[in-house]
Amino acid sequence: MHRVHIVQNASRISHIYCEENRFVFPWLKNACEVNPNEMITEASFYLFNATQGRVHFGSVKILIPATWERNNYAKANADVIVAPPYWKHGYDPYTLQYGGCGEKGKYIHFTPDFLVNNDSIGIYGPHGRLFVHEWAHLRWGVFDEYDSEKPFYISSQNQVKATRCSSDLTGIYVCEKESCTEGSCVIDQATGLLKEGCTFIHDKEQNASSSIMYMQSLSSVFEFCDSSNHNAEALNAQNSMCSYKSTWDVIMSSDDFKSDIPLTSKNSPLPPTFSLLQATDRVICLVLDFSSSMDENNRIIRMRQAVEVYLLQIVEENSYVGIVTFSEGGEVKSQIRQVTSADIRKQLASDLPVASYGDRANVCTGVQLALQVIKKHDESVSGSGIILLTSGGDSSLSKCFSDVIDAGLIIHTIALGQSASQELEQLGKMTGGLSFFVTDRQDSTGLIDVFSAIVASDGDTSHQPVQIESVAERVKGNGQIERSTIIDSTVGNDTFFVVTWLAKEPRIVLHGPRGEHFTNGEFDVDPLLCTARLQIPGIAEAGDWTYLLTNSHGLPEVLTMTVTSRAVKSDVSTITVRTHTNKDTNAYPSPMIVYAQVNQGFSPILGANVTAIIEPESGDPIILDLFDNGAGADTIKNDGVYSKYLFSFARNGRYSLKVRVQRDSQTISPYPAILWSPAMYIPGYITNGTIQMNAPRPLMNSEDSHISSGGFSRIAAGSAFTISGVPTGPYKDVFPPCKITDLDARTEEDKIVLTWTAPGGDFDQGQAARYEVRISQSSLELREEFENAVPINTSSLAPQPAGSKEMFVFKPEASANVTLIYMGVRTVDKSLLYSDLSNIAQALIIPGEATHMAPAKYGALAVVLTTCGLLLLVASCLIVSTVLWTSKKKKKVAIDEAILSHSDSALAV
């Protein structure tokens, strides 16, 4: 049984949250006709049947906006989203899902227009059924069994088929666009597939019971495809991402079902129960280590600098903040106070001690004292937070786990240095908090970065600052740092430039894009804290800001610059960055993946330069350039999610993560081509012998997208992760090339042209040694017996560096017949390590100059349906015709009786 919460904060975003997974959903006063109770109840029963009595929703909590009348509701967090669309491509529901097969998604996004529009039921089916479709993406990491980019494929029986699962679903091909040649739905000789403009219209009444990941809208569908009816030939994301496994096989291998036993009773479960929660302002207590271990490596100064930035610049207005410090004992430095003015922010910052006290760090004492401080503010502490920072090696931290877990506190942990307790990450994970690691490197801004990341992890982004710059550099005596950063048009409010140093105040010169000039005299300097802070009056000018920091004495010095700013207007979405890895613990030599999601609102930002900086406990950082090219670790091209494999580690232990994202003002970014896992838009159905077309998919106007096209800069920190099993000495190459996932084939005359993105010699880095290309007339043979397939001579094909575009042209053996060829590629590195087999591509070889075109029997408004077995392409195609007419809302096509009685032998569907 899943416990589900539906929540919404004051920024019109609601969430449905399911204990370990969360989802989101809108609750709007002007859309009260949308009843989430009905949708989730329907989804619960449908999910129960789809999982054969294993899963249903037990309790649902609805979070109402903070602006509504206050009541004694509990507090909550979540991440299933109902919010306005930001996509040019329309209002389709979707799940943000960019991990591998079986990996959980991030959230489900519904739009208010979708939920209040009754016409959407005719397109997607009842909302409860659609919810289960998206839930399977989110919870179990399965993928869609359709493909809007490749709606057709050629089957092993040499027939054009609609990309679907199961293949038992029936329907006919219809030409619905003017782009169809002479009104005909015909086969393109170059591809063997139907030309653009053709679509597959399903019979409304079906006998097939699967699949939910294809068309949950059909009344007969109540199951996921399993091994008995899975269509492994279809060119869809489920097959390519999950190595041709069925959705049910992937679901059953998830943690949810590994030890689960189906219910013995076939009776329907009880409906979910519903209760109300209410969004509130952030309540946080800082729990800071001031033991003697903080005297090492300048830790106290660095901590005070970071906490001051948090209090003065980062934490949102109207938040509630308290401060507790600890060593062997604990001390309350400030009870919970609401942040309502700059004076209160400064007073909170002044409450911090200036020196350590006590020898040992008793973390539990600090945490338990913070719990009392929060309870004094509000007896209902559930949903309140603690930021725990320590460098101590207290091994008894687990003794107080039960106290904070039972209270419902969310604890974010920051481990400072190598000696911090190894139990910190466990505490963060058990309470739903984030866990960070900060090295003792002097030339690092890690502490400031993680405080920004904690605030950005939840809440209303319109009231949160964004981190624009964060740089630290060791400068030789009398040396300089000269750099520029970009204030983009989405920000400019409350813009702060903060400089720190270790020994002596540097000379500071700051230039704005319109000649603004600031020096040390305009900065607020704190010589004891080694900090200089400048708040730009009013709205900071958009453009390049250049700063020059000069070391003012002869000894080496570490200088840092941090820049934060807030949204220029409350109704403007800022550009945000989220970064994380796919695992929080890993054992060598298994690879990890680093992700950075760059968005404005829910719209992806493309064309950015994204660099990940991964710092171990000691030694030099690892630098990785992340890409959004749909190759290697990146599953979808141009979706605003940048990624790369991470596999080479110098040592065991904790690692920190942050990313730097930049885009020049001159960069022209492509517009995203597709959504993440969008629900399929159904063009129409065959009902009672008539094709009934749905209204065209609604498109947003380009001016509604509000996507920034100029330059910008961002910094974002991610959670810590831990590595084990790293060899102590030199080790041999154990990293194979990554799998090719974008292999594509086309025919040009009697040749086949293959294209793909080059993997590396080590996963998606470096350069491979050679490619192995094989072909077969059986896709099954390629998948299961690749070594037995026909090899192609690739001696002339030298692999290019990872990320390059590869092209290979070859001429298959001549044949007198129409021939369907399947192709696959493996990559080999210099250590003779082989990649996994690529996705399978297909191409059709048609001998001679044969052409195939059906006449437009009824002129411009005629629809000609053409279907045939490809081996009989020229001689035996069946042509049937129907007459099309239009109305203001829907298009209808009258169908000849011959079509109504069609069978698989007459129409190859």
Side-chain angles (χ1 to χ4, degrees), residues 518-536:
F518 304 94
T519 60
N520 295 62
E522 284 82 28
F523 281 71
D524 182 9
V525 178
D526 184 338
L528 295 178
L529 201 55
C530 300
T531 302
R533 173 178 285 98
L534 170 69
Q535 182 177 11
I536 301 299

Side-chain angles (χ1 to χ4, degrees), residues 262-374:
L263 298 180
T264 55
S265 172
K266 293 185 179 180
N267 296 330
S268 295
L270 294 173
T273 58
F274 294 85
S275 56
L276 294 178
L277 307 176
Q278 189 167 28
T280 60
D281 295 313
R282 188 188 300 273
V283 178
I284 199 82
C285 187
L286 302 178
V287 182
L288 308 175
D289 183 355
F290 273 84
S291 67
S292 58
S293 66
M294 294 293 291
D295 291 329
E296 303 172 16
N297 298 303
N298 209 34
R299 288 173 182 165
I300 282 186
I301 292 294
R302 292 165 58 213
M303 177 177 67
R304 291 189 67 223
Q305 288 172 344
V307 172
E308 185 176 83
V309 169
Y310 174 79
L311 294 172
L312 298 183
Q313 301 169 213
I314 296 175
V315 72
E316 305 99 323
E317 198 78 0
N318 297 319
S319 297
Y320 294 85
V321 179
I323 301 173
V324 167
T325 63
F326 68 92
S327 57
E328 294 176 355
E331 184 176 352
V332 178
K333 290 298 181 182
S334 175
Q335 296 289 346
I336 300 293
R337 301 187 64 184
Q338 189 171 22
V339 178
T340 56
S341 68
D343 288 340
I344 291 177
R345 291 178 181 270
K346 290 177 182 178
Q347 188 170 346
L348 285 167
S350 68
D351 290 336
L352 296 173
V354 295
S356 65
Y357 60 92
D359 293 331
R360 188 174 69 88
N362 189 335
V363 178
C364 274
T365 295
V367 170
Q368 289 168 336
L369 185 57
L371 176 58
Q372 296 174 22
V373 169
I374 295 173

Side-chain angles (χ1 to χ4, degrees), residues 333-446:
K333 290 298 181 182
S334 175
Q335 296 289 346
I336 300 293
R337 301 187 64 184
Q338 189 171 22
V339 178
T340 56
S341 68
D343 288 340
I344 291 177
R345 291 178 181 270
K346 290 177 182 178
Q347 188 170 346
L348 285 167
S350 68
D351 290 336
L352 296 173
V354 295
S356 65
Y357 60 92
D359 293 331
R360 188 174 69 88
N362 189 335
V363 178
C364 274
T365 295
V367 170
Q368 289 168 336
L369 185 57
L371 176 58
Q372 296 174 22
V373 169
I374 295 173
K375 278 187 174 180
K376 185 175 180 180
H377 166 71
D378 185 349
E379 189 64 30
S380 176
V381 302
S382 179
S384 299
I386 285 176
I387 298 177
L388 169 62
L389 187 155
T390 182
S391 62
D394 187 354
S395 60
S396 61
L397 180 56
S398 58
K399 294 179 180 179
C400 57
F401 279 9
S402 59
D403 293 341
V404 293
I405 292 171
D406 292 343
L409 283 173
I410 299 170
I411 301 184
H412 306 291
T413 67
I414 304 172
L416 178 55
Q418 299 183 51
S419 300
S421 172
Q422 297 299 313
E423 296 178 319
L424 286 172
E425 285 82 3
Q426 184 183 359
L427 180 60
K429 188 173 184 179
M430 293 175 69
T431 61
L434 302 173
S435 294
F436 298 91
F437 165 68
V438 179
T439 73
D440 277 326
R441 291 176 62 101
Q442 300 295 309
D443 55 345
S444 172
T445 57

Side-chain angles (χ1 to χ4, degrees), residues 1 45 90 140 198 220 266 319 341 500 532 540 698 724 751 768 793 819:
M1 179 181 73
F45 293 135
W140 297 309
C198 296
S220 67
K266 293 185 179 180
S319 297
S341 68
T500 70
S724 62
K751 297 180 178 64
N793 186 350
T819 306

